[in-house]
Amino acid sequence: MVEVTSWVWSLVVVLLTVLANGEDPYRFFTWNVTYGDIYPLGVKQQGILINGQFPGPQIEAVTNDNVIVSVTNSLDEPFLISWNGIQQRRNSWQDGVYGTNCPIPPGQNFTYILQFKDQIGSFFYFPSLAFHKAAGGFGGIKIYSRPRIPVPFPPPAGDFTILTGDWFKQNHTDLKAILDGGHDLPFPDGLLINGRGSNAFTFTVDQGKTYRLRISNVGLTASINFRIQGHKMLLVEAEGTHTLQNTYSSLDIHLGQSYSVLVTADQPAQDYYIVVSTRFTSPVLTATSILHYSNSAGSVSGPPPGGPTIQIDWSLNQARPNPQGSYHYGLVNTTRTIRLANSAPIINGKQRYAVNSVSFIPADTPLKLADYFNIQGVFSPGTISPNPTGGGGYLQTSVMAADFRSFAEVIFENSEDTVQSWHIDGHFFFVVGMDGGQWSDSSRLSYNLRDTISRCTVQVYPKSWTALYMPMDNVGMWNIRSENWARQYLGQQFYLRVYSPANSWRDEYPIPKNALVCGRASGRKTRPL
């Protein structure tokens, strides 16, 4: 009955999207989420599989496509999927985090109705509840440019997705219990490349041809460095923005970030190591895969090439790719400044993580539903300061208010000894500056207000700051979070409520008819057809 209902809604969605979007095509995906045994580091674990796959199936679509994903939750606990970097224009209803969506109950179905509006590039999806991300449930998203709309490089001979990151041998339930007990996670046990450990994955190429590699750091705690033995990489895209095409021998990819590089198989015909290693960690973890020439005359030889380890200056110099062309963001007057400082307070005897002293705790009702139905007492805008407080940490369902079409200067300030990685849902931003030390008004003198890149995830180096210019151009309730998943889980996140008083479909889509209701919104009716 659940599956029949899903397909009925899918047909309704087709009619609505065709009427609303004219020629924009639609693509259907039907997913079943289950537990299954996986052995990524040679040890049996309980993994989260989608259609029996770990990592999950890839989504391939074209700019402006309507993407309909019917998800059946066959786990024994609630589940949600979020879409890292997909902006959900006017549609935070589909963001797939607990602040905007009720979880899919065990044994039930929910159909996501997405549109990849005006986006191209490399992204990924992941499970956003509990500590499910430590069990899998993630996969790649490729969004191609529309036909006849050129991209700034020739079509590659092939297109590979590489999902990599750190991994633990313990089950996600055990890791969650460690965090719930007020402790930090142990050091990771290894790195994975597409769900496998070292030398378990092979990418086959033809000599003389050029290939696109879409690389995402889907790990939990560590920045990584990516390199290919004997080959250079041409950086062409970062989270949906075509970059100035710089050549690298290795590339840092911080938590939650995605890049595309072009690699030409221009070396003698044999096999070569593809290497990922952790950055800013001791010890350094390393994993390898194989770049296999189809006419290979020999297997890999020599040790895998080494990479940078703790050098921050090297990474900082690499961290400023410029875009192809530029939006004149530097000519727009900022309407407010938001300064966000991360911290690691002990609260009630337990390790927590905070932003501007507030350690986020989920409400009993998704914030977006409470806002829509005007349910009092769930949250209040203004429950997090737009500036560091310097005070001790405390627990709060923190929401910051923002006006639609405002243009903010956002500064992430990191006084800790570890690299941070931050993601903002529903928006892109321009990375105008980053440097060591304490941010001050005079730091603006070093901003790049001409041709910096736009993206949705950015690193902040130890005892450093990173500054953004960000258009608040997407009405909704949007998650701002640490991409270090232990920090996110223990409170280093909050929600940004971008508000328009017009209450118009022009600014925001109405609540979906199939929206799940829960908590204090239980029993409320969604809009009629």
Side-chain angles (χ1 to χ4, degrees), residues 252 254 279-281 308-320 414 416-420 434-437 459-464:
D252 278 357
H254 302 275
R279 289 285 269 125
F280 319 113
T281 66
T309 54
I310 61 172
Q311 301 93 329
I312 292 176
D313 287 347
W314 184 93
S315 187
L316 182 62
N317 290 333
Q318 188 195 73
R320 302 183 177 104
N414 177 20
E416 298 184 69
D417 292 325
T418 56
V419 65
Q420 307 291 316
M434 54 175 62
D435 206 351
Q459 70 272 24
V460 191
Y461 293 102
K463 299 190 181 302
S464 300

Side-chain angles (χ1 to χ4, degrees), residues 311-349:
Q311 301 93 329
I312 292 176
D313 287 347
W314 184 93
S315 187
L316 182 62
N317 290 333
Q318 188 195 73
R320 302 183 177 104
N322 290 348
Q324 289 270 2
S326 178
Y327 169 76
H328 293 294
Y329 61 90
L331 301 178
V332 181
N333 291 325
T334 56
T335 53
R336 65 183 300 192
T337 295
I338 300 170
R339 296 171 54 201
L340 303 172
N342 50 270
S343 59
I346 303 297
I347 302 177
N348 299 328

